[in-house]
Amino acid sequence: MTGEEIVALSKKHTITEYVPQDSVNPIPVARAKGVHFWTPEGKRFIDFNSQLMSVNIGHGDPRVIAAITEQAQKVTYVTPAMTTEVRARLGAKLAELAPGDIDAFFFTNGGAEANENAFKIARAVTGRQKILARYRSYHGGTAAAIAATGDPRGWSQPPMPGIVHVLDPYHGVARGWDDAATSLKYLEEVIQLEGPHTIAAFILETVTGTNGVLVPPDGYMQGVRALCDKHGILMIADEVMSGFGRTGKWFAIEHWGVVPDMITMAKGLTSSYIPLGAVGVRRPLADHFKDKMFPGGLTYSSHPVACAAALATIAVYEEDGLIDRAAKTGTLLASLHAELSAKHPSVGVTRCIGLFGVIELVRNRQTLEPLAPLNGTSPEMAALGKFFREEGLFTFLRWHYFFTNPPLCITEPELREGIEIIDRGLAITDKAVQS
């Protein structure tokens, strides 16, 4: 099929997430390899967002494809009440990689279900019902996960009893950051006003993802851990996006030396070759269910082909040194961000940790007025997105910012290729803003 035929048939018979369907204009993809993908007509794109910040090892790795094929030839599915060698081995491997004494895992179909089950575990263990979550957050599209989500994607859903949102340390490009002490003082006030004895858990993205790659100030995560301990609240680290090398560590929480009570994961777990998520729990939480029913179940939990993909993906991270490589390449990315900021007056602020990056655009460096409003766009942002697409660079543009999240296997020349396209695009944006 041609790209035009693929798009037309897809728009007629399938639904695209979080957009009015008349506005859908997808890129048709025929093949992908490494940090690139191609349309049926052969137009090449550099994947500067790892698709959904998830194809961490790059596209088309033959080692993962071989593992998927091998497992499919042995057994494709068994009920989760049975088990397989790949399930056993994956659980043991994740216990080796996860921080602290997190060593038991419930496998899900993706990140949203991992968060849903983390809530169920927290409520079952504590006997409490409330879940704290932050406004600048996204935790998934299923019922409780979207209720916990604080950004505009949750606005269209009815509020769910028991979900309480709190402010982040970050208040937008114009207002900037609170220090850790100020943010923690506010958080504890909310806990007191809600009643600590009613709060089961606090879920937070260790490094906030689609709401702007928000890297917490030093002391914040340690302070959250201390407040949770003080009030008997379970700390859930949502590492669906920030896990598996994205920040230069296996899990982002390692940057702050904190062990959460639960950690949720997906995306980079299989590099999105096969859908798979998991919630990891500390040993005391796992032991709670020795003589009590575990409050969750999924037809495809621990799917053998997905577990095989995860084991092979983890092996690629290790064999190719991708975690350390992300940290080193992330240092280069930060310097390239700084060059863009110095050169382009439309750049308000940049952030990155490892290969998890964002560039926020403004109309005026003095007022720091965002180039587009919250949950909106602008002619300048639309033009920038069109330029990137025409020039063969794929990344996400959201509101007034865009992301720099390439696969961890990206080389320096490939990284510079993507930044060069961004540089040219920002030159056009500068002129549009100044005119």
Side-chain angles (χ1 to χ4, degrees), residues 80-162:
M82 299 180 183
T83 193
T84 58
E85 180 179 344
V86 285
R87 173 180 177 172
R89 290 176 54 217
L90 179 57
K93 185 62 180 179
L94 289 174
E96 175 188 320
L97 298 177
D101 59 345
I102 293 175
D103 70 349
F105 301 85
F106 178 70
F107 293 109
T108 67
N109 299 316
E113 288 179 347
N115 289 329
E116 293 269 351
N117 281 279
F119 299 163
K120 292 179 181 180
I121 293 167
R123 286 166 168 160
V125 170
T126 65
R128 306 171 180 181
Q129 293 301 311
K130 290 180 183 176
I131 304 293
L132 295 184
R134 298 188 298 188
Y135 278 105
R136 297 181 189 274
S137 68
Y138 181 74
H139 297 293
T142 53
I146 196 65
T149 292
D151 84 5
R153 282 169 285 188
W155 291 355
S156 63
Q157 303 299 315
M160 179 176 287

Side-chain angles (χ1 to χ4, degrees), residues 32-311:
K33 186 70 176 178
V35 301
H36 297 103
F37 61 88
W38 289 261
T39 69
E41 287 69 37
K43 180 178 175 62
R44 191 196 74 165
F45 284 81
I46 183 168
D47 189 348
F48 230 56
N49 203 64
S50 305
Q51 295 302 301
L52 265 177
M53 296 89 157
S54 60
V55 185
N56 289 6
I57 66 170
H59 297 276
D61 192 291
R63 293 163 289 186
V64 180
I65 295 168
I68 291 169
T69 303
E70 181 182 353
Q71 182 59 46
Q73 291 170 340
K74 292 178 180 178
V75 58
T76 53
Y77 175 76
V78 296
T79 168
M82 299 180 183
T83 193
T84 58
E85 180 179 344
V86 285
R87 173 180 177 172
R89 290 176 54 217
L90 179 57
K93 185 62 180 179
L94 289 174
E96 175 188 320
L97 298 177
D101 59 345
I102 293 175
D103 70 349
F105 301 85
F106 178 70
F107 293 109
T108 67
N109 299 316
E113 288 179 347
N115 289 329
E116 293 269 351
N117 281 279
F119 299 163
K120 292 179 181 180
I121 293 167
R123 286 166 168 160
V125 170
T126 65
R128 306 171 180 181
Q129 293 301 311
K130 290 180 183 176
I131 304 293
L132 295 184
R134 298 188 298 188
Y135 278 105
R136 297 181 189 274
S137 68
Y138 181 74
H139 297 293
T142 53
I146 196 65
T149 292
D151 84 5
R153 282 169 285 188
W155 291 355
S156 63
Q157 303 299 315
M160 179 176 287
I163 302 293
V164 177
H165 286 105
V166 299
L167 291 174
D168 304 72
Y170 188 68
H171 303 291
V173 63
R175 291 178 56 198
W177 291 87
D178 288 338
D179 59 83
T182 299
S183 185
L184 292 167
K185 184 177 180 181
Y186 159 76
L187 176 60
E188 183 158 34
E189 182 178 2
V190 173
I191 290 171
Q192 292 292 347
L193 292 171
E194 288 290 336
H197 64 287
T198 70
I199 301 170
F202 181 22
I203 186 170
L204 64 168
E205 293 171 276
T206 310
V207 174
T208 299
T210 52
N211 281 267
V213 188
L214 305 178
V215 184
D218 289 340
Y220 177 77
M221 282 295 168
Q222 296 91 331
V224 169
R225 175 72 275 178
L227 282 175
C228 287
D229 288 340
K230 178 179 177 180
H231 297 293
I233 297 167
L234 299 181
M235 180 181 180
I236 304 169
D238 181 342
E239 296 255 0
V240 171
M241 198 170 289
S242 61
F244 293 96
R246 177 55 57 189
T247 70
K249 299 281 188 182
W250 279 104
F251 295 99
I253 199 72
E254 296 174 59
H255 288 283
W256 296 280
V258 168
V259 179
D261 297 292
M262 286 181 269
I263 190 166
T264 57
M265 61 193 76
K267 295 186 183 287
L269 174 58
T270 62
S271 201
S272 291
Y273 282 43
I274 296 284
L276 184 67
V279 52
V281 301
R282 300 182 76 170
R283 176 46 49 186
L285 298 185
D287 288 346
H288 176 85
F289 298 105
K290 281 186 174 181
D291 58 356
K292 298 178 181 66
M293 182 191 73
F294 181 82
L298 296 161
T299 297
Y300 301 116
S301 177
S302 310
H303 194 287
V305 179
C307 289
L311 280 168

Side-chain angles (χ1 to χ4, degrees), residues 172-174 360-364 367-374 378 400:
V173 63
E360 295 197 51
L361 303 182
V362 296
R363 294 194 177 279
N364 184 295
T367 65
L368 293 177
E369 178 189 354
L371 195 54
L374 178 73
S378 65
H400 66 288

